[in-house]
Amino acid sequence: MAWRNGSKRSGRRRTPPPRPPAGPPPADGTPPAQPAETGSVVEAALYEDGVRVSSPATLADTYRELNEKPAGMAWIGLARPTERELHSLAEEFDLHPLSIEDAMEAHQRPKLERYGETLFVVLRAARYLDAPEEVDFGELHVFVGPDFLITVRHGAAPDLSAVRRRMEETPELLRLGPEAVLYAILDAVVDGYAPVVEGVQTDIDEIETEVFRGDPEVSRRIYELSREMVEFQRATRPLVGMLHGLMAGFAKYGTDEELQRYLRDVADHVTHISERVDGFRQALTDILTVNATLVTQQQNAEMRTLAEAGFEQNEEIKKISSWAAILFAPTLVGTIYGMNFSHMPELHWGFGYPFAIALMAIVCTSLYFIFKRKDWL
């Protein structure tokens, strides 16, 4: 960090004007007007020596009480703040306009930027949703200064209330200042990746079963999970470089030994998670290739079955056609000699009947041997 734990920034903080005193209640007995809503402030607290000493309800109260406690530290948590609230924070804590612009627009890649005495950190949190079997991503922006830490959350993840409770239960760690809170947030985000990894591993195991079972919907599921792994990779891969960059500054900025161990543990975890995510992408690519091969084989088998069925059908048609031709020959002879005309050749011939029978037999036998030779019968 660019400052030592417990030190203060050199600039003066602008003190908000005092609130006007509340007037007397109306004479008609109606209740007095309620104070304005706290906006997007999830929780704000002031700490001295690792212990919470105040819980301001608004940003203005936080500014005023922090000015009254030179040795204090403010931890402000916001969820989807308005542009007005962010500009108020920028004016109070001298935040860089570029970091405020990033915090307003969101949809940023994980990164770490240093603006003077303030660090601006962007993190992508993730959580696994069991019901739809998908990964939900959130975005967290963290401003870290000498005597303040501001979190701006976009999305449902991560839930920082557990981080705050954990830090408040270990005042010796919270006493180390905003830098310690930043490392605790990093640890919470990285720990939140573990259930996602387990959920994705289960999904991949199920997909492998569906692939070899021939489920027609498995290709769509592979594609959707592959897209989620691309997002997961974008969330974890830059984080590895960010943490190694922080570790490289241990000696330069005199980071506490306990925090050094803390950050190295977080770096080990995120490296492991990143390697698992890379493995998932490769596994999904391989599964997709295997699925395409199996689908092609199935299609070839179906085409072969259709071809064989068509061949058998043609053979049956040949046989039917051959017997039809054989049976048609005597029918034709019988039909000709069965016509009722007075003047017909051989009508009164004594050998007419034997001749007709012999002609039918000769024609049928000839056709039979012809079709037999052509393998139609």
Side-chain angles (χ1 to χ4, degrees), residues 56-173:
T58 64
L59 292 178
D61 293 340
T62 305
Y63 303 156
R64 184 179 62 258
E65 294 186 23
L66 184 59
N67 275 299
E68 295 171 354
K69 296 178 174 60
M73 178 193 75
W75 182 352
I76 303 172
L78 305 174
R80 297 185 180 90
T82 63
E83 184 176 346
R84 180 179 180 181
E85 290 171 328
L86 288 175
H87 282 303
S88 172
L89 291 167
E91 183 179 357
E92 178 67 23
F93 296 110
D94 298 328
L95 305 180
H96 197 278
L98 290 179
S99 62
I100 293 298
E101 181 180 350
D102 289 344
M104 283 190 295
E105 294 180 357
H107 303 292
Q108 304 294 321
R109 288 177 60 88
K111 63 179 180 179
L112 185 149
E113 299 286 349
R114 190 183 303 275
Y115 299 102
E117 294 184 329
T118 303
L119 282 181
F120 175 61
V121 181
V122 178
L123 303 173
R124 294 292 305 279
R127 59 173 182 162
Y128 185 80
L129 305 179
D130 292 323
E133 293 185 340
E134 62 184 25
V135 183
D136 178 52
F137 294 93
E139 191 167 329
L140 180 65
H141 298 217
V142 185
F143 299 88
V144 187
D147 59 349
F148 67 89
L149 184 135
I150 304 168
T151 59
V152 178
R153 194 182 64 194
H154 296 273
D159 182 10
L160 298 180
S161 58
V163 178
R164 190 183 291 267
R165 288 194 301 270
R166 174 187 172 190
M167 294 298 290
E168 290 179 352
E169 291 172 358
T170 54
E172 64 278 3
L173 188 60

Side-chain angles (χ1 to χ4, degrees), residues 184-196:
I185 292 174
L186 288 170
D187 184 54
V189 171
V190 174
D191 285 347
Y193 293 152
V196 178

Side-chain angles (χ1 to χ4, degrees), residues 49 79 88 114 126 135 140 147 152 179 197 199 203 231 248 285 298 300 325 358 371:
D49 198 29
S88 172
R114 190 183 303 275
V135 183
L140 180 65
D147 59 349
V152 178
E179 189 176 10
V197 169
D203 287 345
E231 290 295 320
T285 301
Q298 183 179 1
N300 292 338
F371 291 141

Side-chain angles (χ1 to χ4, degrees), residues 294-374:
L294 293 176
V295 170
T296 302
Q297 291 177 350
Q298 183 179 1
Q299 291 175 345
N300 292 338
E302 292 175 353
M303 292 296 295
R304 184 168 56 252
T305 302
L306 290 175
E308 292 174 354
F311 178 78
E312 293 176 357
Q313 186 176 12
N314 289 336
E315 293 299 316
E316 294 296 328
I317 292 176
K318 288 180 181 180
K319 292 179 180 179
I320 295 173
S321 301
S322 300
W323 285 113
I326 293 172
L327 295 177
F328 176 73
T331 303
L332 177 63
V333 175
T335 301
I336 293 174
Y337 284 98
M339 292 187 293
N340 297 321
F341 293 104
S342 299
H343 303 286
M344 288 184 62
E346 299 90 19
L347 185 61
H348 301 285
W349 184 34
F351 296 98
Y353 177 75
F355 175 76
I357 296 299
L359 181 60
M360 293 179 189
I362 291 171
V363 173
C364 291
T365 303
S366 300
L367 290 175
Y368 176 82
F369 283 108
I370 291 172
F371 291 141
K372 192 70 173 177
R373 187 175 181 181
K374 292 182 176 292

